[in-house]
Amino acid sequence: MRTARLKHAVATVLLLLGGLSAGTLPASANGTGTSAKPASDGIVTAMQRDLGLTRKQAATRLAAEHAAATLAPALRRAAGDAYAGSWYDAPSARLTVALTQDAPAATRRTIAAAGAGLRTVEHSARQLDAAKAHIDRLTAPSGVSGWHVDPRANTVVVEVLRGHRSDNDVRHFLARARKAGPVTVRTVSAAPRTFAAGTVGGDPYYTGNVRCSIGFSVYGGFVTAGHCGRPGAGVSGWDGSYIGTFQGSSFPDNDYAWVSVGSGWWTVPVVLGWGTVPDQLVRGSSVAPVGSSVCRSGSTSHWHCGTVLALNETVNYSQGAVHQLTKTSACAEPGDSGGSFITGDQAQGVTSGGWGNCASGGETWFQPVNEILNRYGLTLHTY
């Protein structure tokens, strides 16, 4: 980690750390931030490959998604009690806001004037969130993979594994869930699992016999997945040298952790591109709405992109339920756990788990980075 690593500070540090890093200039206290800088070549290239876009379409989409993410919080406040959710609509390249039928005309005019699309629905976001919170208090059987609020469908979606819907415990769970409010049941093909892996020589960070990937650099260390290590566990890099120690960790219920860094290791404001794309700079952590593109870096499958499918989903892993995860169509594989999700230059979260792989496809969940920063009082490193 001396001269040779200084020579390749960005790529090597991230390689050591197994997925990404961040940091020189502090962002705001909770790590949020925005940027109007052009999209990086690496993000655009990965979106071309994974989302089937041209270079111009990818760059245009990133700019539109950035505008939507910036606009969403203000329009939620403007909608007040009539707010029923929002998402990025790719065909129209703008944010769409759902409002209940009793939304005042003035509110509708305000949202339309901001350039957002409008949709009228039956249930408010407050009602849907309350229904999901009620379901969160239930104990889910293994045949139920998770549940989330779907603003576009204006319902709480409960996902059940194929072939398990007629199980007595699943039927009982669904009956109790439906009493909470509007619920739609969808069938999924595979159960979610975490993406930690056994030790593989030459790859990013290790704790015991588990290999995971770094999420994002913060002042004093980095954030990653909670299932990768317990508080007090030591962490080593790809070369076997000591990096630091897990200072905080939560799993299940949550899936986040942070690791202090020392012993000659340092952090930089970068997400590793693994030679597939150029390394990416991190400039903030504005939340990407549902429908936005998102890319992931990890020590096993490297760079892959997809879209945000759902926010605040509860995922029922075999180890227990984990709450407030974001669901994406990006793929991942064992060893990618803890790695970074990024939209444009905005950090989104750390890889938790999923199903499938990067050969046949699948879905992946991440723990939002801003929740981790707030939980531990950390500050995201940004460029």
Side-chain angles (χ1 to χ4, degrees):
M1 208 142 337
R2 302 271 189 272
T3 306
R5 291 201 177 89
L6 285 169
K7 186 176 179 181
H8 304 286
V10 169
T12 303
V13 170
L14 290 172
L15 189 66
L16 320 170
L17 300 180
L20 73 307
S21 275
T24 45
L25 303 178
S28 61
N30 67 357
T32 58
T34 59
S35 169
K37 295 179 184 284
S40 70
D41 287 342
I43 293 287
V44 171
T45 300
M47 290 174 65
Q48 287 179 261
R49 180 194 66 194
D50 293 340
L51 299 181
L53 304 175
T54 66
R55 186 170 187 81
K56 182 177 180 180
Q57 287 171 333
T60 300
R61 176 163 179 160
L62 282 171
E65 290 173 345
H66 177 78
T70 303
L71 188 61
L75 294 189
R76 177 168 190 158
R77 291 191 296 270
D81 291 342
Y83 180 76
S86 64
W87 58 93
Y88 175 76
D89 182 64
S92 65
R94 63 177 180 172
L95 186 73
T96 296
V97 178
L99 298 174
T100 56
Q101 296 172 344
D102 58 355
T107 299
R108 296 178 182 276
R109 287 194 296 270
T110 296
I111 292 174
L118 281 172
R119 182 179 296 180
T120 301
V121 297
E122 182 178 358
H123 308 288
S124 69
R126 182 176 297 176
Q127 291 173 314
L128 295 176
D129 289 343
K132 180 184 177 294
H134 177 85
I135 299 173
D136 282 343
R137 293 190 289 271
L138 304 178
T139 299
S142 59
V144 175
S145 67
W147 51 95
H148 65 272
V149 171
D150 183 342
R152 287 173 288 197
N154 197 228
T155 186
V156 178
V157 174
V158 177
E159 296 180 333
V160 176
L161 296 177
R162 181 173 288 114
H164 289 264
R165 190 161 177 172
S166 61
D167 293 355
N168 287 335
D169 53 353
V170 171
R171 293 171 61 186
H172 180 64
F173 178 87
L174 293 177
R176 297 181 66 191
R178 289 189 176 99
K179 293 180 181 179
V183 165
T184 298
V185 180
R186 292 179 186 166
T187 300
V188 295
S189 59
R193 59 192 175 98
T194 56
F195 283 128
T199 299
V200 177
D203 276 320
Y205 87 85
Y206 304 89
T207 177
N209 66 343
V210 172
R211 171 171 59 85
C212 284
S213 303
I214 282 215
F216 294 93
S217 292
V218 297
Y219 284 95
F222 64 83
V223 295
T224 187
H227 70 263
C228 291
R230 300 289 90 187
V235 174
S236 59
W238 65 272
D239 61 352
S241 66
Y242 177 75
I243 295 177
T245 305
F246 276 85
Q247 298 296 320
S249 178
S250 178
F251 180 80
D253 187 27
N254 306 291
D255 194 3
Y256 51 59
W258 85 279
V259 175
S260 60
V261 169
S263 301
W265 292 75
W266 68 99
T267 57
V268 291
V270 171
V271 174
L272 185 63
W274 291 99
T276 303
V277 300
D279 297 342
Q280 308 301 308
L281 294 175
V282 178
R283 293 191 171 101
S285 56
S286 294
V287 178
V290 168
S292 300
S293 63
V294 67
C295 296
R296 185 195 54 72
S297 178
S299 62
T300 298
S301 59
H302 301 171
W303 263 97
H304 289 278
C305 296
T307 57
V308 177
L309 301 178
L311 305 178
N312 190 25
E313 177 154 1
T314 299
V315 177
N316 191 33
Y317 293 125
S318 61
Q319 301 94 329
V322 175
H323 305 91
Q324 298 180 321
L325 297 181
T326 297
K327 182 180 184 177
T328 84
S329 63
C331 66
E333 296 181 357
D336 288 329
S337 279
S340 55
F341 272 87
I342 188 167
T343 294
D345 55 15
Q346 301 296 304
Q348 298 300 315
V350 302
T351 304
S352 173
W355 62 269
N357 56 52
C358 291
S360 60
E363 294 176 336
T364 306
W365 288 265
F366 66 79
Q367 185 88 62
V369 68
N370 289 333
E371 180 183 358
I372 310 173
L373 300 177
N374 291 332
R375 168 63 180 83
Y376 294 117
L378 304 170
T379 301
L380 182 70
H381 279 199
T382 58
Y383 178 78

